Amino acid sequence: MLENNLTAIILLLCGIILIAAFLLFVIIKIKSANRIKEIENYGKPSEKKLKELLEKAFSPSAVFSSVYIPYTNGDKDKYAEMDAVLILRSGVFVIELKSHNGKIINGDTRYWTQIYNDKRISFYNPLYQNSTHSKVINNIFKSEGQYNVPIYNVVVFSSTKVTFTNKYPNLVQLDDLIKYIKKTGKSDAMSISQTSRLRTVLRSYIRSGRVVEQKHKRFIRRTKRRK
Protein backbone atom coordinates (compact mmCIF):
# COMPACT_ATOMS: atom_id res chain seq x y z
CA MET A 1 0.00 0.00 0.00
CA LEU A 2 2.79 2.38 0.96
CA GLU A 3 4.64 1.48 -2.22
CA ASN A 4 1.54 2.31 -4.31
CA ASN A 5 1.13 5.67 -2.57
CA LEU A 6 4.79 6.50 -3.15
CA THR A 7 4.49 5.63 -6.84
CA ALA A 8 1.39 7.82 -7.12
CA ILE A 9 3.18 10.73 -5.45
CA ILE A 10 6.18 10.35 -7.78
CA LEU A 11 3.92 10.28 -10.84
CA LEU A 12 2.06 13.33 -9.58
CA LEU A 13 5.31 15.22 -9.03
CA CYS A 14 6.54 14.24 -12.50
CA GLY A 15 3.27 15.48 -13.96
CA ILE A 16 3.56 18.79 -12.14
CA ILE A 17 7.17 19.20 -13.31
CA LEU A 18 6.20 18.46 -16.91
CA ILE A 19 3.31 20.93 -16.79
CA ALA A 20 5.54 23.60 -15.22
CA ALA A 21 8.23 23.02 -17.87
CA PHE A 22 5.63 23.26 -20.64
CA LEU A 23 4.21 26.50 -19.22
CA LEU A 24 7.71 27.95 -18.89
CA PHE A 25 8.42 27.02 -22.52
CA VAL A 26 5.20 28.72 -23.66
CA ILE A 27 5.98 31.87 -21.66
CA ILE A 28 9.51 32.07 -23.13
CA LYS A 29 8.15 31.61 -26.67
CA ILE A 30 5.53 34.33 -26.16
CA LYS A 31 8.10 36.76 -24.73
CA SER A 32 10.49 36.00 -27.58
CA ALA A 33 7.77 36.54 -30.19
CA ASN A 34 6.72 39.82 -28.56
CA ARG A 35 10.35 40.97 -28.42
CA ILE A 36 10.86 40.18 -32.12
CA LYS A 37 7.66 42.04 -32.98
CA GLU A 38 8.76 45.02 -30.87
CA ILE A 39 12.14 45.15 -32.65
CA GLU A 40 10.54 44.84 -36.10
CA ASN A 41 8.09 47.68 -35.36
CA TYR A 42 10.67 49.93 -33.66
CA GLY A 43 11.28 52.11 -36.69
CA LYS A 44 7.66 52.47 -37.84
CA PRO A 45 7.14 56.03 -36.46
CA SER A 46 10.36 57.19 -38.15
CA GLU A 47 9.30 55.57 -41.44
CA LYS A 48 6.00 57.44 -41.29
CA LYS A 49 7.82 60.72 -40.60
CA LEU A 50 10.17 60.07 -43.53
CA LYS A 51 7.25 59.39 -45.88
CA GLU A 52 5.45 62.58 -44.84
CA LEU A 53 8.64 64.63 -45.20
CA LEU A 54 9.31 63.38 -48.75
CA GLU A 55 5.72 63.75 -49.91
CA LYS A 56 5.53 67.30 -48.60
CA ALA A 57 8.85 68.34 -50.19
CA PHE A 58 8.19 66.65 -53.53
CA SER A 59 5.09 64.75 -54.64
CA PRO A 60 3.23 61.72 -53.24
CA SER A 61 3.47 60.11 -56.70
CA ALA A 62 7.27 60.30 -56.50
CA VAL A 63 7.51 58.51 -53.14
CA PHE A 64 7.44 54.75 -52.62
CA SER A 65 7.53 54.07 -48.90
CA SER A 66 8.15 50.80 -47.00
CA VAL A 67 8.07 48.58 -50.08
CA TYR A 68 9.12 45.01 -50.83
CA ILE A 69 10.88 44.52 -54.16
CA PRO A 70 11.70 41.01 -55.45
CA TYR A 71 15.21 40.17 -56.59
CA THR A 72 15.18 39.72 -60.37
CA ASN A 73 17.77 36.94 -60.17
CA GLY A 74 18.46 34.17 -57.70
CA ASP A 75 15.87 33.19 -55.09
CA LYS A 76 12.42 34.11 -56.39
CA ASP A 77 11.09 34.31 -52.83
CA LYS A 78 13.78 36.78 -51.72
CA TYR A 79 12.71 40.38 -51.32
CA ALA A 80 14.52 43.62 -50.57
CA GLU A 81 12.68 45.72 -48.00
CA MET A 82 13.25 49.38 -48.78
CA ASP A 83 12.33 52.19 -46.42
CA ALA A 84 11.80 54.65 -49.27
CA VAL A 85 12.48 55.09 -52.98
CA LEU A 86 12.15 58.58 -54.41
CA ILE A 87 11.99 58.99 -58.20
CA LEU A 88 12.63 62.51 -59.49
CA ARG A 89 13.95 63.97 -62.73
CA SER A 90 17.31 64.40 -60.99
CA GLY A 91 17.51 60.67 -60.27
CA VAL A 92 16.34 57.78 -58.15
CA PHE A 93 17.09 58.01 -54.43
CA VAL A 94 17.11 54.70 -52.57
CA ILE A 95 16.81 55.60 -48.90
CA GLU A 96 17.68 53.43 -45.91
CA LEU A 97 16.44 54.76 -42.56
CA LYS A 98 18.02 54.01 -39.18
CA SER A 99 16.83 55.00 -35.70
CA HIS A 100 20.00 54.39 -33.68
CA ASN A 101 21.08 56.71 -30.87
CA GLY A 102 24.47 57.36 -29.33
CA LYS A 103 27.90 57.13 -30.91
CA ILE A 104 28.30 55.18 -34.14
CA ILE A 105 31.72 53.81 -35.04
CA ASN A 106 31.26 53.74 -38.80
CA GLY A 107 34.41 52.95 -40.70
CA ASP A 108 34.49 51.40 -44.16
CA THR A 109 33.84 47.98 -42.67
CA ARG A 110 31.17 45.31 -42.99
CA TYR A 111 29.76 46.10 -39.55
CA TRP A 112 29.34 49.31 -37.60
CA THR A 113 29.16 49.61 -33.82
CA GLN A 114 26.64 51.56 -31.78
CA ILE A 115 27.74 52.70 -28.31
CA TYR A 116 24.74 53.66 -26.21
CA ASN A 117 24.14 53.50 -22.45
CA ASP A 118 27.47 51.67 -21.98
CA LYS A 119 26.38 49.00 -24.47
CA ARG A 120 28.15 48.12 -27.71
CA ILE A 121 25.85 46.79 -30.43
CA SER A 122 27.11 45.63 -33.82
CA PHE A 123 24.93 46.09 -36.90
CA TYR A 124 25.41 45.60 -40.62
CA ASN A 125 26.84 48.62 -42.44
CA PRO A 126 23.71 50.34 -43.84
CA LEU A 127 25.69 51.85 -46.73
CA TYR A 128 26.58 48.31 -47.84
CA GLN A 129 23.03 47.14 -47.22
CA ASN A 130 21.55 49.96 -49.26
CA SER A 131 24.07 49.46 -52.03
CA THR A 132 22.47 46.04 -52.54
CA HIS A 133 19.03 47.66 -52.60
CA SER A 134 20.23 50.14 -55.22
CA LYS A 135 21.48 47.28 -57.39
CA VAL A 136 18.08 45.57 -57.12
CA ILE A 137 16.41 48.74 -58.36
CA ASN A 138 18.96 49.17 -61.15
CA ASN A 139 18.51 45.55 -62.30
CA ILE A 140 14.75 46.06 -62.49
CA PHE A 141 15.11 49.17 -64.62
CA LYS A 142 17.61 47.46 -66.93
CA SER A 143 15.28 44.48 -67.35
CA GLU A 144 12.64 46.97 -68.55
CA GLY A 145 14.99 48.70 -71.00
CA GLN A 146 15.79 51.67 -68.77
CA TYR A 147 19.56 52.20 -68.82
CA ASN A 148 21.92 54.82 -67.38
CA VAL A 149 19.47 55.82 -64.67
CA PRO A 150 21.21 57.93 -61.98
CA ILE A 151 20.65 56.02 -58.73
CA TYR A 152 21.75 57.37 -55.35
CA ASN A 153 22.34 55.32 -52.22
CA VAL A 154 21.30 57.45 -49.21
CA VAL A 155 21.40 56.42 -45.55
CA VAL A 156 19.43 58.55 -43.10
CA PHE A 157 19.50 58.53 -39.30
CA SER A 158 16.32 59.88 -37.72
CA SER A 159 17.66 60.57 -34.22
CA THR A 160 19.13 63.92 -33.27
CA LYS A 161 21.08 62.13 -30.51
CA VAL A 162 23.50 60.32 -32.77
CA THR A 163 27.12 61.05 -33.68
CA PHE A 164 29.49 59.40 -36.15
CA THR A 165 33.22 58.76 -36.13
CA ASN A 166 33.34 59.10 -39.93
CA LYS A 167 31.51 61.31 -42.41
CA TYR A 168 30.21 60.26 -45.81
CA PRO A 169 28.42 62.51 -48.33
CA ASN A 170 25.44 60.14 -48.54
CA LEU A 171 25.14 59.61 -44.77
CA VAL A 172 22.79 62.30 -43.46
CA GLN A 173 20.42 63.03 -40.64
CA LEU A 174 16.72 63.37 -41.29
CA ASP A 175 16.66 67.16 -40.94
CA ASP A 176 19.27 67.46 -43.73
CA LEU A 177 17.76 64.93 -46.14
CA ILE A 178 15.70 67.27 -48.33
CA LYS A 179 18.63 69.67 -48.74
CA TYR A 180 20.88 66.75 -49.72
CA ILE A 181 18.39 65.47 -52.32
CA LYS A 182 17.87 68.89 -53.89
CA LYS A 183 21.58 69.54 -54.33
CA THR A 184 22.39 66.04 -55.65
CA GLY A 185 22.42 65.37 -59.39
CA LYS A 186 21.16 67.49 -62.28
CA SER A 187 17.59 68.73 -61.94
CA ASP A 188 16.82 67.67 -65.52
CA ALA A 189 18.94 64.50 -65.72
CA MET A 190 15.87 62.63 -66.99
CA SER A 191 12.91 63.70 -69.05
CA ILE A 192 9.41 63.94 -67.61
CA SER A 193 8.32 60.93 -69.65
CA GLN A 194 11.24 58.79 -68.51
CA THR A 195 10.65 59.76 -64.88
CA SER A 196 7.00 58.78 -65.23
CA ARG A 197 8.02 55.50 -66.89
CA LEU A 198 10.39 54.62 -64.03
CA ARG A 199 7.64 55.23 -61.48
CA THR A 200 5.29 52.97 -63.43
CA VAL A 201 7.93 50.24 -63.69
CA LEU A 202 8.78 50.30 -59.99
CA ARG A 203 5.10 50.33 -59.04
CA SER A 204 4.55 47.16 -61.06
CA TYR A 205 7.31 45.34 -59.15
CA ILE A 206 6.20 46.27 -55.65
CA ARG A 207 4.87 43.33 -53.65
CA SER A 208 2.70 43.63 -50.58
CA GLY A 209 0.60 41.61 -48.20
CA ARG A 210 1.18 39.51 -45.11
CA VAL A 211 2.60 36.53 -47.02
CA VAL A 212 5.38 38.66 -48.54
CA GLU A 213 6.16 40.30 -45.19
CA GLN A 214 6.37 36.93 -43.42
CA LYS A 215 8.64 35.46 -46.12
CA HIS A 216 10.97 38.42 -45.84
CA LYS A 217 11.05 38.32 -42.03
CA ARG A 218 11.80 34.58 -42.02
CA PHE A 219 14.64 35.16 -44.48
CA ILE A 220 16.12 37.94 -42.29
CA ARG A 221 15.90 35.75 -39.17
CA ARG A 222 17.61 32.83 -40.93
CA THR A 223 20.35 35.16 -42.14
CA LYS A 224 20.95 36.52 -38.63
CA ARG A 225 21.12 33.00 -37.15
CA ARG A 226 23.78 31.99 -39.67
CA LYS A 227 26.04 34.92 -38.70
Side-chain angles (χ1 to χ4, degrees), residues 77-138:
D77 289 329
K78 186 178 177 182
Y79 300 89
E81 181 184 11
M82 303 183 191
D83 294 323
V85 180
L86 177 69
I87 302 181
L88 304 172
R89 290 189 63 188
S90 57
V92 177
F93 296 83
V94 183
I95 302 170
E96 176 68 21
L97 179 67
K98 296 298 181 184
S99 303
H100 298 66
N101 291 307
K103 181 180 179 180
I104 307 297
I105 301 175
N106 62 324
D108 187 14
T109 54
R110 188 174 179 81
Y111 288 91
W112 288 0
T113 301
Q114 175 191 19
I115 301 177
Y116 185 66
N117 288 341
D118 296 326
K119 294 181 180 179
R120 297 175 69 93
I121 302 170
S122 178
F123 63 101
Y124 189 61
N125 184 332
L127 290 172
Y128 287 7
Q129 176 187 0
N130 209 40
S131 176
T132 300
H133 292 173
S134 299
K135 290 175 182 176
V136 170
I137 294 291
N138 195 34

Side-chain angles (χ1 to χ4, degrees), residues 40-193:
E40 289 174 345
N41 292 330
Y42 179 73
K44 294 299 182 183
S46 296
E47 290 175 13
K48 182 180 178 182
K49 185 176 180 180
L50 172 63
K51 179 176 182 289
E52 292 173 348
L53 182 71
L54 292 172
E55 289 184 344
K56 182 178 179 181
F58 303 103
S59 164
S61 62
V63 181
F64 301 85
S65 177
S66 302
V67 295
Y68 292 92
I69 307 293
Y71 283 69
T72 52
N73 50 15
D75 189 348
K76 65 179 181 180
D77 289 329
K78 186 178 177 182
Y79 300 89
E81 181 184 11
M82 303 183 191
D83 294 323
V85 180
L86 177 69
I87 302 181
L88 304 172
R89 290 189 63 188
S90 57
V92 177
F93 296 83
V94 183
I95 302 170
E96 176 68 21
L97 179 67
K98 296 298 181 184
S99 303
H100 298 66
N101 291 307
K103 181 180 179 180
I104 307 297
I105 301 175
N106 62 324
D108 187 14
T109 54
R110 188 174 179 81
Y111 288 91
W112 288 0
T113 301
Q114 175 191 19
I115 301 177
Y116 185 66
N117 288 341
D118 296 326
K119 294 181 180 179
R120 297 175 69 93
I121 302 170
S122 178
F123 63 101
Y124 189 61
N125 184 332
L127 290 172
Y128 287 7
Q129 176 187 0
N130 209 40
S131 176
T132 300
H133 292 173
S134 299
K135 290 175 182 176
V136 170
I137 294 291
N138 195 34
N139 287 338
I140 285 175
F141 290 153
K142 285 182 177 179
S143 71
E144 298 290 338
Q146 302 295 315
Y147 297 94
N148 300 318
V149 176
I151 298 177
Y152 300 98
N153 167 6
V154 189
V155 172
V156 182
F157 278 73
S158 60
S159 175
T160 58
K161 299 177 181 178
V162 64
T163 59
F164 305 97
T165 57
N166 292 279
K167 294 182 179 180
Y168 302 96
N170 56 337
L171 173 64
V172 300
Q173 290 183 282
L174 192 59
D175 290 343
D176 299 321
L177 176 60
I178 302 304
K179 181 171 63 177
Y180 170 82
I181 292 172
K182 288 184 176 180
K183 74 177 184 180
T184 301
K186 296 180 180 180
S187 60
D188 59 349
M190 297 188 293
S191 66
I192 294 175
S193 61

